[in-house]
Amino acid sequence: MSQLLKEKIMQAFLEKSILTGGELEKKLGVTRSAISKVINSLIQDGLNIETIPRKGYKFLDDNDILSKATIDFNIDAKKYGKQIEILDSVDSTNLYLKNLIDANEGYTVIADKQIGGMGRKGRKFISEKGGIYFSILLKPKIEVSDIKFLTFCAALSVAESIKSICGIDVGIKWVNDIFYDSKKLCGISTDATLCLESMTLKSAIIGIGINLHPLSDNDFSDTTQIQNIATDIFSITRQTGFRNKLIAKILSSLEFFIDKLVAGKKLEILSLYKDNICVMGSVVKVIPVNNAEYLARVIGLNDNGELKVNKLTDDKSLSNEIQFLSTEEVSIMVMQDE
Ligand code: BTN
């Protein structure tokens, strides 16, 4: 079955939801019987298309089936998401894209599920069928010292897109997790390749994984209850139909913010990022790479994207010690009920 013809029919339905066989025949230059076969195959894929006898076809819903045509229809970007590969299953979209590093900026790989989804720091990222898992190739002209801003741009794009498409008031847990109600909804990774001679970025792969449906407890140890640490868009909204639109919005928004970064508007990005942070005022456990952990209260974010914290004493009151946490050296864990 021609994938291209399927995408063309989807495109036609996005422009007009009821189409006769004759209209499709004229538009696509193929026979009615070919069209009927493709429509049946789309229905088998899971799309909700009604056949109206002697009239034609009515497109009702994409049922969240990943579709290039739908993403393209909803995207507002010049480079990002203009070349997309959709895979039924892959080890990791990040690994897959690493083999395509010479592709154009904005090349995007999306998978229905990942067998070996990768989180940061060697952790696995559970990627059951039906979630949002994708990686984008970036090649912006920026200095090595500004690479952390790619992470800020990505987290900001995802947070703002989820807010506008799904109507959920999510927040960014510094640096790049998206949280709702103290539970993780989305993880983001940034992998960069550098040109050491010029100390500039060669390319980066941003990987984004969003839970759309509840994760099964099978993926967790007996002691870790998934519902205590993770959440998903369906459990919050009780709605579906966000999948393609949300991917399109994130790609559009990411291009918008990366263009700002390349134009030197770092403070503007940081100010928006700060507005979306959900840890301000919270007590967090600071986990440095090489030193002992400690508790602190978050009190700000400086112009370099470092989190400003006030260290707590052993009896959990504020000390005089202020620390600036850099993205490369520490991670934080938000403490409940502090
Ligand atoms: C984290 O929370 O630690 C980062 C998670 C990043 C997950 C995404 S899903 C798409 C892409 N492919 C991967 O294997 N990882 C990233």
Side-chain angles (χ1 to χ4, degrees):
M1 181 61 55
S2 155
Q3 204 54 40
L4 188 64
L5 201 50
K6 279 186 176 181
E7 289 294 338
K8 280 190 175 165
I9 291 187
M10 273 302 296
Q11 184 81 47
F13 276 133
L14 290 164
E15 285 157 14
K16 190 163 176 264
S17 62
I18 301 179
L19 288 162
T20 63
E23 282 174 308
L24 282 167
E25 197 177 40
K26 209 164 141 198
K27 212 173 171 69
L28 306 176
V30 290
T31 64
R32 275 188 209 200
S33 95
I35 286 165
S36 153
K37 276 189 196 142
V38 178
I39 298 259
N40 283 335
S41 169
L42 284 169
I43 294 171
Q44 264 179 7
D45 287 349
L47 292 171
N48 196 354
I49 300 169
E50 193 183 332
T51 308
I52 312 169
R54 287 181 300 282
K55 282 218 171 105
Y57 306 98
K58 185 173 182 186
F59 175 70
L60 297 165
D61 191 357
D62 70 10
N63 277 338
D64 276 341
I65 304 297
L66 291 169
S67 150
K68 264 193 224 180
T70 317
I71 293 171
D72 194 55
F73 187 78
N74 287 288
I75 215 162
D76 178 17
K78 291 200 181 71
K79 294 170 282 181
Y80 293 13
K82 288 289 146 184
Q83 284 177 291
I84 290 183
E85 258 187 86
I86 294 180
L87 309 167
D88 283 340
S89 174
V90 70
D91 47 359
S92 149
T93 54
N94 273 6
L95 286 181
Y96 188 92
L97 191 53
K98 262 187 196 155
N99 292 319
L100 299 170
I101 212 76
D102 293 329
N104 291 335
E105 165 145 41
Y107 197 97
T108 302
V109 179
I110 309 172
D112 194 29
K113 72 170 181 187
Q114 298 184 115
I115 313 295
M118 301 185 325
R120 295 187 304 274
K121 302 195 174 126
R123 288 188 291 254
K124 75 173 184 178
F125 187 82
I126 294 164
S127 314
E128 290 169 358
K129 185 175 165 54
I132 292 183
Y133 316 109
F134 67 111
S135 303
I136 314 131
L137 181 62
L138 307 188
K139 297 185 174 176
K141 292 191 172 28
I142 57 167
E143 307 282 314
V144 169
S145 55
D146 284 340
I147 287 174
K148 57 177 173 282
F149 278 86
L150 297 180
T151 304
F152 298 142
C153 288
L156 183 54
S157 307
V158 174
E160 292 208 332
S161 300
I162 293 178
K163 281 184 187 175
S164 89
I165 298 292
C166 315
I168 307 175
D169 193 18
V170 291
I172 301 169
K173 195 213 91 182
W174 182 89
V175 185
N176 53 357
D177 283 330
I178 306 297
F179 267 53
Y180 175 82
D181 199 13
S182 309
K183 292 177 190 166
K184 182 160 164 171
L185 180 64
C186 162
I188 301 170
S189 59
T190 309
D191 292 313
T193 312
L194 315 179
C195 174
L196 289 176
E197 259 172 39
S198 58
M199 283 309 274
T200 53
L201 175 79
K202 238 191 216 164
S203 64
I205 292 177
I206 302 274
I208 297 172
I210 306 176
N211 304 329
L212 275 191
H213 302 282
L215 299 174
S216 74
D217 258 330
N218 299 342
D219 291 311
F220 283 77
S221 67
D222 289 348
T223 49
T224 313
Q225 289 246 296
I226 179 67
Q227 56 273 27
N228 292 339
I229 55 169
T231 188
D232 59 275
I233 288 180
F234 183 76
S235 297
I236 303 163
T237 62
R238 295 282 150 201
Q239 282 177 36
T240 55
F242 297 125
R243 207 176 184 203
N244 293 297
K245 282 191 196 133
L246 186 52
I247 295 172
K249 180 75 181 169
I250 293 170
L251 288 166
S252 314
S253 175
L254 186 62
E255 182 174 299
F256 176 80
F257 287 119
I258 299 284
D259 281 352
K260 276 200 182 298
L261 174 61
V262 173
K265 299 189 174 155
K266 288 191 276 186
L267 288 183
E268 203 179 309
I269 294 167
L270 268 182
S271 155
L272 290 168
Y273 178 86
K274 199 168 166 182
D275 290 345
N276 280 280
I277 280 186
C278 61
V279 291
M280 217 51 93
S282 304
V283 170
V284 294
K285 185 195 275 182
V286 179
I287 311 165
V289 178
N290 292 321
N291 296 311
E293 301 173 355
Y294 60 89
L295 291 181
R297 190 173 290 281
V298 178
I299 52 174
L301 186 82
N302 71 10
D303 290 353
N304 219 7
E306 291 165 340
L307 202 64
K308 186 177 178 186
V309 299
N310 195 333
K311 226 171 165 175
L312 299 189
T313 58
D314 289 344
D315 66 358
K316 294 194 182 161
S317 50
L318 291 176
S319 72
N320 293 326
E321 201 176 331
I322 303 291
Q323 297 277 347
F324 289 91
L325 311 180
S326 92
T327 55
E328 299 87 13
E329 286 158 19
V330 295
S331 54
I332 58 166
M333 204 169 110
V334 182
M335 306 301 286
Q336 305 286 347
D337 308 315
E338 291 288 342

